[in-house]
Amino acid sequence: MIKLDITKALVSAAEIEAVKGQVIAAQTALEEGNCPGNDFLGWLHLPTGITAEFMTKLQECTQTLRENCDTVVVAGIGGSYLGARAIIEALGNSFQWLTNKGENPNILFAGNNIGEDYLYELTEYLRDRRFGVINISKSGTTTETALAFRLLKKQCEQQRGKEMARRVIVAITDARKGAARTCADKEGYTSFVIPDNVGGRFSVLTPVGLLPIAVAGFDIAKLVQGAADMEQAVAEGVPFEENPCLKYAAVRNILYRQGKKIEILVNFQPKLHYMNEWWKQLYGESEGKDGKGIFPAAVDFSTDLHSMGQWIQEGERTIFETVVSIEEPEHKLLFPSDEENLDGLNFLAGKRVDEVNKMAELGTQLAHVDGGVPNMRIVVPRLNEYYIGQLIYFFEKACGISGLTLGVNPFNQPGVEAYKKNMFALLGKPGYEKETEEIKKRL
Ligand code: PA5
């Protein structure tokens, strides 16, 4: 199992004791459905509830896409793409693009920005490809995703013909409402439902994450198994000392109350960059409301030790760190010896590269703790489907408990509507006439 180490979190046993009852109460409220946002708790027992029938339907669709596409574009934004991207990048070869000999389709992402150049360059790239599209939107009305999907649908139909497009365009959306549902039903696309009671940022273990991950060639059964095992390991009734979700939520809330307003998620493996992004959304959107919430930041070490390291070591003391540490790499590479030894590094020759990385990790932890930065470590035995499944569920459940302990509804996101309203007013969307008039006065 993955493990949480809080021995360097700079919190005392008495402080833990004082908050223990609150996080346990938050967990009970979550489990009993007595909490704010209780209509969005479908993720809580999702891993153990996944059926063989559902997996078979996913695998059939996966096979169709893999047989007919060299490239699959996932159109989605926020919770409708970050989980899939995080896991595909964590598990995949860092040079998949360059090394792919056709055994797995390349997975690209669109619909998560409004960059004209990005979309232009994407459509150019796809010109010679046998590509398919997974269109993911719970609401079915998100502008970024709808824009990308319009472009991709048209191009796919023109390039591959209407009949093949029908086979290689898949929709993942609401069961009944929204443009993505209407379009899927009208065109006869294979479609999957995002359950009503699962919010975007908690949806990676629904088809939103599982289909793209399976198409990329990874074992989603192992991913789900890892999540299900973690679901059991942190179930209600598991004592505080053995429940990493309760401990993580407790320490975060203690530190926040002491003025540590920023949590930095740290990795020492570049493949985990998008796990950071997924985590930032999960915690940022869940906790940042009502004038409260830890600001979730993230860095990739050792890369960012050469840029953000100075701030973390000596800047304002309002931060704490949570390190995701991978115990064992998948490959073996030794530090080379060099006859001239111009860089003076021959003392490392013959050591595993990972040993050097681990000493960078330990040295950084000690330096940052000395600098007044509390440190938690999440130790993940291997970077594979099973342990990523555990990590995903661990972060989700800890997030629910932590947000409830903070005193917010962790399952809504009213704040994300503000920019949309202004954007539509500025663009003159029908129905927004009054807002358009008002906003123009401010320009
Ligand atoms: O977590 C969330 O709710 C958001 O990030 C949404 O997933 C995101 O805004 C995309 O929404 P939709 O899936 O409706 O297109």
Side-chain angles (χ1 to χ4, degrees), residues 36-37 40 43 46 77-84 138 194-195 197-206 208-209 277-289 296 392-393 395-397 399-400 403 408-417:
F40 280 98
W43 57 273
L46 190 63
I77 192 166
S80 289
Y81 102 102
L82 279 169
K138 189 175 181 201
I194 309 175
N197 59 359
V198 180
R201 59 191 174 277
F202 288 88
S203 69
V204 57
L205 297 171
T206 72
V208 170
E277 297 303 307
W278 172 81
W279 172 89
K280 270 166 40 185
Q281 185 199 358
L282 181 64
Y283 280 78
E285 219 168 53
S286 299
E287 293 191 324
K289 53 197 69 158
I392 291 283
Y393 189 83
F395 274 135
E396 287 184 351
K397 184 149 191 199
C399 181
V408 298
N409 174 354
F411 309 115
N412 66 4
Q413 55 284 326
V416 300
E417 294 310 314

Side-chain angles (χ1 to χ4, degrees), residues 263-321:
E263 178 177 11
I264 306 178
L265 192 77
V266 178
N267 68 63
F268 279 79
Q269 303 290 344
K271 286 180 181 192
L272 291 177
H273 177 80
Y274 267 91
M275 282 299 294
N276 284 358
E277 297 303 307
W278 172 81
W279 172 89
K280 270 166 40 185
Q281 185 199 358
L282 181 64
Y283 280 78
E285 219 168 53
S286 299
E287 293 191 324
K289 53 197 69 158
D290 306 336
K292 300 195 254 189
I294 294 170
F295 182 83
V299 289
D300 303 316
F301 283 170
S302 66
T303 313
D304 292 335
L305 283 171
H306 297 256
S307 56
M308 293 303 290
Q310 170 61 35
W311 199 105
I312 296 169
Q313 188 68 46
E314 295 183 342
E316 198 179 12
R317 302 297 72 188
T318 47
I319 56 173
F320 64 99
E321 285 181 318

Side-chain angles (χ1 to χ4, degrees), residues 73-78 80-81 109-115 119 122-123 133-155 169 171-173 178-181 183 189 419-420 423-424 427 429:
V73 187
V74 175
I77 192 166
S80 289
Y81 102 102
F109 296 90
N112 55 66
N113 63 61
I114 320 176
L119 287 166
L122 174 69
T123 50
V133 184
I134 306 177
N135 184 34
I136 310 179
S137 178
K138 189 175 181 201
S139 63
T141 56
T142 302
T143 310
E144 289 88 339
T145 308
L147 163 64
F149 185 64
R150 279 188 179 211
L151 291 165
L152 293 166
K153 175 178 186 288
K154 204 165 276 180
Q155 184 171 355
I169 297 178
I172 304 179
T173 187
R181 166 56 54 203
C183 171
Y189 299 149
Y419 99 89
K420 293 184 195 167
M423 178 177 78
F424 289 140
L427 288 168
K429 183 174 175 173

Side-chain angles (χ1 to χ4, degrees), residues 268-269 301-302 353-362:
F268 279 79
Q269 303 290 344
F301 283 170
S302 66
V353 170
D354 192 58
E355 190 180 335
V356 181
N357 202 25
K358 288 289 188 301
M359 290 308 110
E361 186 183 322
L362 182 57

Side-chain angles (χ1 to χ4, degrees), residues 309-430:
Q310 170 61 35
W311 199 105
I312 296 169
Q313 188 68 46
E314 295 183 342
E316 198 179 12
R317 302 297 72 188
T318 47
I319 56 173
F320 64 99
E321 285 181 318
T322 300
V323 179
V324 176
S325 177
I326 308 299
E327 257 182 331
E328 184 62 33
E330 298 305 299
H331 305 288
K332 190 171 171 184
L333 185 68
L334 302 181
F335 207 105
S337 126
D338 186 88
E339 245 172 56
E340 291 191 82
N341 194 25
L342 291 176
D343 51 17
L345 292 176
N346 267 358
F347 73 102
L348 296 174
K351 286 193 191 299
R352 294 277 301 267
V353 170
D354 192 58
E355 190 180 335
V356 181
N357 202 25
K358 288 289 188 301
M359 290 308 110
E361 186 183 322
L362 182 57
T364 304
Q365 183 196 48
L366 296 172
H368 289 180
V369 170
D370 287 346
V373 180
N375 179 287
M376 286 190 273
R377 271 181 90 226
I378 298 163
V379 182
V380 181
R382 300 269 299 266
L383 204 43
N384 61 25
E385 289 92 334
Y386 179 71
Y387 289 116
I388 295 260
Q390 289 192 8
L391 189 64
I392 291 283
Y393 189 83
F394 159 75
F395 274 135
E396 287 184 351
K397 184 149 191 199
C399 181
I401 297 170
S402 187
L404 292 173
T405 308
L406 178 69
V408 298
N409 174 354
F411 309 115
N412 66 4
Q413 55 284 326
V416 300
E417 294 310 314
Y419 99 89
K420 293 184 195 167
K421 194 176 129 228
N422 285 347
M423 178 177 78
F424 289 140
L426 289 164
L427 288 168
K429 183 174 175 173

